[in-house]
Amino acid sequence: MNVDDEAKKVIWSLQHNKRTEAERNVFQPTGKKPMNKNVVYILSTLGITFLMSFALSQFSKETTHFCFLIESYCFNSTENPVAYTFYIFMNLWILILGIGVAYLIGRKIGVRFKI
């Protein structure tokens, strides 16, 4: 271990085997498996999208009449704000998934035709 007098900081060197055994073992792996963060990322993305849809539903001042999949299952945005938030949430995810699928199809077409 060399100490630079001007900089007053420690400079580690691998030359001439200058580290002690304790200094070499400082950065050994702990043996723990790293946590898989995919579930955390997916849940946080869904939560953020739901909060965005809630904020978007609050910006709308006029009453909106909307239906889920069939005509007999309709709601009013002022009477059921949670259902309206969920409706906006579903529409946002339909748009996001549509853009993702279009990107994947375009990438496959681009690879096939070498554009």
Side-chain angles (χ1 to χ4, degrees), residues 15 22 51:
Q15 298 170 351
L51 288 175

Coordinates of all heavy atoms in Angstrom, one line a residue, residues 15 22 51:
Q15 N 0.7 -4.7 -8.1 CA 2.1 -5.0 -8.4 C 2.8 -5.6 -7.2 O 2.6 -5.1 -6.1 CB 2.8 -3.8 -9.0 CG 2.2 -3.4 -10.3 CD 2.7 -2.0 -10.7 OE1 3.5 -1.4 -10.0 NE2 2.4 -1.6 -11.9
A22 N -5.9 -10.2 4.4 CA -7.1 -9.5 4.9 C -7.6 -8.5 3.9 O -8.8 -8.3 3.7 CB -6.8 -8.9 6.2
L51 N -51.9 5.4 -10.3 CA -51.9 6.8 -9.7 C -52.1 7.8 -10.8 O -52.8 8.8 -10.6 CB -50.7 7.0 -8.9 CG -50.6 6.3 -7.5 CD1 -49.2 6.6 -6.9 CD2 -51.7 6.8 -6.6

